Amino acid sequence: MTLLTVDPTNPDDAALGRATEVLRHGGLVAFPTETVYGLGAHALDTAAVERIYEAKGRPAWNPLIVHVANAGAARALTASWPREAELLAVHFWPGPLTLVLPRDPAVPDIVTAGLDSVGVRVPSHPVALALLRACGLPLAAPSANRSNELSPTTAQHVVKSLGSAVELVLDGGATSVGIESTVLDLRDPAHPVVLRPGAVSAADIAELLGVPVLRAGGAEGDVARPSPGMTERHYSPRAALRLVDDDGIATLVRRDAGVRNEALLVMQSTISQGLMGAFGRVETMPDSPEGYARVLYARLHALDDAGVTDIYVQQLPDGAAWDGVRDRLARATRHD
Ligand code: AMP
Ligand code: MG
């Protein structure tokens, strides 16, 4: 495994050339996107994509998102490109929105897990874009971690999880969005369905398209249409994670004193002196959904590294702006 630092403000040609070589020969390159780090392989090379599943221990039924340099390259991977896709692409790409559309036959089964749809996205991270342009290939790229582990938001997280399973890691610093992309099912363009909430909200999409946007299989269980990979336990730290409301926190605080190997994640605006002594660690979380998403995985990684066994997370504020973070935390609490 080689780790190369790439300056996002000026991605250097040598590193991109090295990555291109690896990808053209069917190898794996981890690279930063604005959401999380991706584990990339040439999407039209079945053997290369198989290596992603092996490296991650990812179940074969869970499809991969294909990353491309521009909307034209995304369109080339689809069998139909409705007006809605074009509008969304113009408005939100490059950015953290994945579109699920009927696939072109050139996209291998292994990428789509046998579905006749493909998920496509143009990432906005300058290193991801520079790599996609330099190699000229569509890159299948799930998060660069072993399946069921926390997603990586730094190159160090990638190295910790995948080690020698990846040939090359491009280190472009910490990612800015911090949670995975919004996945939007556009197979029926008149009835778009959010399969996974993220930084681009259902309301943003509805406003642009002028139609209602449904939520599928969300944390609240309002299943409209199942999507592979949406039901499994996911995005989880090793520690047991529980969501607690303010009464729950008060109950925890009243317990007998004693050293505990546990942590509380609490919103900055509600932190109080009384909490400090009651938990082994108290992590202050940003009050905005964007700020919270940006630091969430890094905090959970750090708590795992510190050997914390139990993580209590203060219940999030109401509101659709928190849907992405709420979804990830709900999945992280599943320990089945
Ligand atoms: P990940 O690669 O872990 O970020 O997960 C990507 C997720 O996107 C998958 O788990 C699916 O739920 C969703 N996805 C990707 N491709 C498709 C597709 N062709 N149809 C439906 N959902 C998809
Ligand atoms: Mg993942």
Side-chain angles (χ1 to χ4, degrees):
M1 196 269 304
T2 306
L3 181 66
L4 291 180
T5 301
V6 185
D7 177 0
T9 62
N10 183 23
D12 79 291
D13 292 343
L16 299 175
R18 177 87 178 271
T20 297
E21 276 300 296
V22 172
L23 291 164
R24 291 215 174 120
H25 290 94
L28 303 182
V29 175
F31 60 94
T33 81
E34 73 278 23
T35 60
V36 301
Y37 272 70
L39 180 62
H42 180 354
L44 305 182
D45 177 343
T46 297
V49 177
E50 266 166 11
R51 296 191 53 201
I52 293 181
Y53 282 87
E54 269 163 39
K56 284 182 62 79
R58 184 176 173 105
W61 45 260
N62 199 353
L64 305 178
I65 293 168
V66 183
H67 295 69
V68 287
N70 54 57
R75 181 177 186 159
L77 298 171
T78 64
S80 72
W81 186 258
R83 186 188 133 264
E84 289 78 1
E86 187 61 26
L87 269 173
L88 290 163
V90 168
H91 200 80
F92 292 112
W93 282 354
L97 174 67
T98 296
L99 302 180
V100 172
L101 287 157
R103 72 159 152 168
D104 183 87
V107 181
D109 272 345
I110 186 161
V111 171
T112 68
L115 300 169
D116 6 329
S117 59
V118 61
V120 287
R121 160 168 123 82
V122 179
S124 66
H125 194 290
V127 174
L129 270 180
L131 175 63
L132 287 162
R133 287 176 185 143
C135 74
L137 302 170
L139 297 180
S143 54
N145 55 281
R146 297 270 314 161
S147 236
N148 287 336
E149 288 183 2
L150 282 172
S151 293
T153 57
T154 66
Q156 290 67 38
H157 296 157
V158 177
V159 172
K160 186 174 67 163
S161 183
L162 292 176
S164 59
V166 52
E167 272 163 84
L168 180 61
V169 180
L170 301 181
D171 182 353
T175 65
S176 58
V177 174
I179 59 171
E180 300 78 358
S181 62
T182 303
V183 178
L184 184 72
D185 185 350
L186 259 191
R187 284 174 301 170
D188 176 358
H191 302 100
V193 179
V194 170
L195 302 176
R196 176 174 72 188
V200 175
S201 74
D204 297 336
I205 297 165
E207 190 185 328
L208 181 74
L209 298 182
V211 293
V213 175
L214 294 180
R215 261 293 302 276
E220 295 81 28
D222 51 337
V223 178
R225 242 188 285 188
S227 164
M230 298 286 101
T231 50
E232 62 176 342
R233 168 177 173 238
H234 212 100
Y235 317 113
S236 317
R238 285 192 300 276
L241 188 147
R242 294 182 200 84
L243 293 170
V244 282
D245 59 16
D246 289 341
D247 287 345
I249 293 175
T251 305
L252 290 167
V253 168
R254 281 196 300 270
R255 295 172 305 178
D256 291 338
V259 182
R260 292 191 178 87
N261 211 2
E262 31 172 64
L264 174 71
L265 265 53
V266 62
M267 312 285 286
Q268 168 117 51
S269 56
T270 63
I271 193 130
S272 69
Q273 210 51 37
L275 296 175
M276 295 301 192
F279 298 87
R281 288 174 68 140
V282 175
E283 296 285 333
T284 310
M285 299 299 286
D287 287 312
S288 74
E290 297 80 16
Y292 198 111
R294 186 174 303 128
V295 301
L296 176 61
Y297 289 149
R299 295 288 166 85
L300 297 179
H301 274 286
L303 294 175
D304 267 350
D305 291 347
V308 166
T309 56
D310 296 87
I311 302 173
Y312 296 99
V313 181
Q314 182 185 30
Q315 211 161 49
L316 299 171
D318 290 336
W322 289 90
D323 279 356
V325 169
R326 192 177 293 115
D327 170 79
R328 303 313 187 277
L329 286 174
R331 287 176 206 291
T333 58
R334 286 189 205 152
H335 276 259
D336 43 11

